[in-house]
Amino acid sequence: SRHVLGLVDAVLAEVGLGPEAVGAIGFGSGPGSFTGLRIACGIAQGLGFGWSVPLVPVDAMRTLALQASLAAPGGAGPVCVALD
C-alpha cells in the first residue's frame, strides 16, 4: 500500500499524462479480502477527492462473468461465477 501512489505517478509519467487527464477512477469494490478492498477504496477516494474526479466501483463477480461471456465462442448462455 505504501508504493501505490508512486506507481500511479510512474504510470502517468510513462504515458506522458498528468492527473488532469484522468476522467474517472475505477476501483475494485469486491468481493475480496477486507484489507485489499479497504486499501483500494481509500486510495481511490483520496485520488478522486484530490483530482476532483468521480469514482467507479468495479464488482469483481460481474467483471468475471462478463469476461467469461465475451470469451465464449458464439456467446455464452447463463454464466455462474464462483470465488474460493
Side-chain angles (χ1 to χ4, degrees):
S1 64
R2 65 180 88 151
H3 301 290
V4 173
L5 295 177
L7 293 170
V8 170
D9 287 339
V11 168
L12 288 175
E14 186 175 322
V15 295
L17 297 173
E20 67 281 349
V22 176
I25 297 173
F27 69 97
S29 64
S33 71
F34 176 73
T35 301
L37 294 173
R38 195 174 63 184
I39 291 170
C41 185
I43 295 289
Q45 284 180 325
L47 291 174
F49 180 73
W51 293 347
S52 297
V53 296
L55 301 181
V56 180
V58 179
D59 181 282
M61 301 294 263
R62 289 179 188 218
T63 302
L64 290 171
L66 178 61
Q67 287 175 332
S69 176
L70 294 174
V79 175
C80 178
V81 177
L83 296 173
D84 62 354

